[in-house]
Amino acid sequence: MSQMDKRPHVMSGTDERYSVKLICRNCRDPIPNIIEDFASGDLVCGDCGLVLGDRIIDTRSEWRTFANDEGDDPSRVGNAANPFLDGAQLDTVIARGGDKGSGLAKDLNRTHGRTTAQRHERNLVQAYKEISALCDAYDIPKTIVDIAKQLYKKVEDEQLQRGKSNDAIIAACIFLACRQDNAPRTFKEICALTKVDRKDIGRTFKFLKSKLGANTGTTSSNDLIARFCSNLNLSQETWRITKLLTEKAKEMEHISGKSPLSIASACIYMASHLIGDGRDAKAISDIAGVGEATIKSTYKIIYANRKELLTPAIMDRNPKASESNLI
């Protein structure tokens, strides 16, 4: 290091003229011990305690802990905005505690909530919570949950819920969302999930489809086979054979009038027995939501036309496949 680098920095006259120094008028110390108290917004002399300034601006990062427990919290300046709600969402919340048990804070919280909260927003928040809870119970993906929330918000914005059960609207929104995301659920599955009558869901579904102009598509057997086979712990090969059987069965005249769900269930029954990994009608009925009698009656039609269905393309897919395994 050179001698020039070791010399102390000397301020020029211009530097001294334009520099701002803050010292305590009591201590007159050229190197003051000034403390910035951001909690009270004051500048305080650390030696004598004289308040040198007030209303100072906190220039630190706005990270703040909103959790009840002490420690690091990644929350930054409150919660993130909810895209499914309207408005700025910058509400003031009065805490319920901190009044030493007088109950005043709780009364203020209730009164403040009644005067500031909008009924429209309260209904949306409650409906969103119910949609999330129902979908979580069936492990339905978040993408479908978001679509269901968007559909419900359209219903609320256009005031289509008048005269309709709110539970039926939520069930229909989930049903529509599953179809739009190419992961359809049957009416019976939605009934079991939401505890809403099938007829109510069907009527509300048709009403919302016509009013919202939602693109729902159609539910085919192939959309259901993969999920049913997975729930029955069947192999990928069984799923592929079932898919081929279903495609061939659709072309049969004898099976016209049967629902895609019944055809898919009967084809799963046939494919599982064909390769020697059979599932009984009751197990398939519990998963697919189709009656045992319906599965067996549809299977009888398929079995009677097995020569037409069991093509070499199907029989050659698995060495264990044998017509003698069928019952």
Side-chain angles (χ1 to χ4, degrees):
M1 185 180 293
S2 63
Q3 294 293 326
M4 183 176 294
D5 295 334
K6 293 181 179 179
R7 289 181 299 177
H9 176 70
V10 179
M11 297 179 62
S12 64
T14 304
D15 293 337
E16 289 183 350
R17 188 167 62 251
Y18 288 103
S19 65
V20 177
K21 295 181 180 179
L22 180 63
I23 62 174
C24 176
R25 59 176 175 268
N26 287 348
C27 302
R28 296 289 180 179
D29 190 343
I31 306 178
N33 179 22
I34 297 177
I35 300 172
E36 295 177 321
D37 187 0
F38 292 112
S40 59
D42 295 333
L43 282 175
V44 183
C45 177
D47 297 329
C48 67
L50 180 66
V51 177
L52 305 176
D54 57 359
R55 297 183 182 178
I56 62 172
I57 297 174
D58 189 349
T59 57
R60 300 174 300 176
S61 175
E62 60 269 37
W63 290 97
R64 177 184 169 189
T65 299
F66 288 87
N68 294 328
D69 301 329
E70 293 296 331
D72 295 334
D73 185 5
S75 302
R76 183 171 186 176
V77 201
N79 295 327
N82 191 336
F84 300 112
L85 296 176
D86 299 321
Q89 303 174 33
L90 300 176
D91 298 332
T92 300
V93 178
I94 298 177
R96 289 176 174 267
D99 55 359
K100 298 181 180 179
S102 65
L104 178 61
K106 186 176 180 181
D107 294 339
L108 285 173
N109 178 279
R110 186 185 301 111
T111 304
H112 179 75
R114 289 174 179 172
T115 56
T116 59
Q118 299 179 0
R119 182 180 179 184
H120 169 71
E121 187 169 313
R122 287 202 306 268
N123 292 341
L124 284 177
V125 171
Q126 184 62 33
Y128 293 161
K129 288 181 180 178
E130 191 168 348
I131 289 172
S132 298
L134 290 172
C135 292
D136 288 345
Y138 263 38
D139 293 328
I140 294 176
K142 189 177 183 301
T143 53
I144 295 178
V145 177
D146 292 343
I147 294 173
K149 290 179 179 179
Q150 290 174 353
L151 291 171
Y152 188 89
K153 189 173 188 302
K154 287 182 181 179
V155 172
E156 188 79 15
D157 291 343
E158 298 181 21
Q159 297 183 350
L160 301 177
Q161 75 277 16
R162 293 180 179 177
K164 303 290 180 182
S165 166
N166 193 59
D167 292 337
I169 291 175
I170 289 175
C173 287
I174 295 174
F175 183 81
L176 271 169
C178 290
R179 281 197 170 189
Q180 289 187 0
D181 202 50
N182 298 320
R185 298 298 192 274
T186 63
F187 275 114
K188 192 164 185 178
E189 287 178 299
I190 300 298
C191 290
L193 172 65
T194 60
K195 304 298 186 293
V196 179
D197 185 70
R198 178 173 178 170
K199 291 183 179 179
D200 290 340
I201 297 177
R203 284 195 294 264
T204 309
F205 162 69
K206 291 179 181 178
F207 174 77
L208 296 184
K209 182 181 176 182
S210 61
K211 292 296 183 180
L212 298 178
N215 180 21
T216 60
T218 57
T219 302
S220 66
S221 303
N222 292 335
D223 296 329
L224 306 170
I225 289 170
R227 185 157 50 85
F228 291 164
C229 287
S230 176
N231 292 337
L232 289 165
N233 295 320
L234 293 171
S235 64
Q236 287 284 332
E237 201 57 48
T238 307
W239 166 68
R240 294 188 182 97
I241 292 175
T242 304
K243 187 177 179 182
L244 292 173
L245 286 173
T246 306
E247 291 172 356
K248 293 290 292 183
K250 289 178 184 176
E251 301 171 1
M252 294 169 49
E253 296 181 359
H254 308 282
I255 208 167
S256 60
K258 296 291 183 180
S259 69
L261 191 57
S262 301
I263 297 172
S265 302
C267 288
I268 291 172
Y269 185 82
M270 173 176 272
S272 64
H273 283 88
L274 185 67
I275 63 172
D277 187 21
R279 298 292 188 273
D280 58 21
K282 186 179 186 309
I284 298 174
S285 174
D286 293 339
I287 295 297
V290 181
E292 291 183 55
T294 304
I295 295 175
K296 290 179 179 179
S297 63
T298 308
Y299 174 71
K300 285 181 180 179
I301 300 174
I302 294 175
Y303 181 79
N305 296 271
R306 62 188 181 280
K307 298 296 183 184
E308 182 182 345
L309 288 175
L310 300 178
T311 60
I314 292 176
M315 300 301 292
D316 295 341
R317 292 198 69 92
N318 194 303
K320 295 181 181 180
S322 174
E323 188 177 335
S324 61
N325 293 332
L326 298 177
I327 56 176

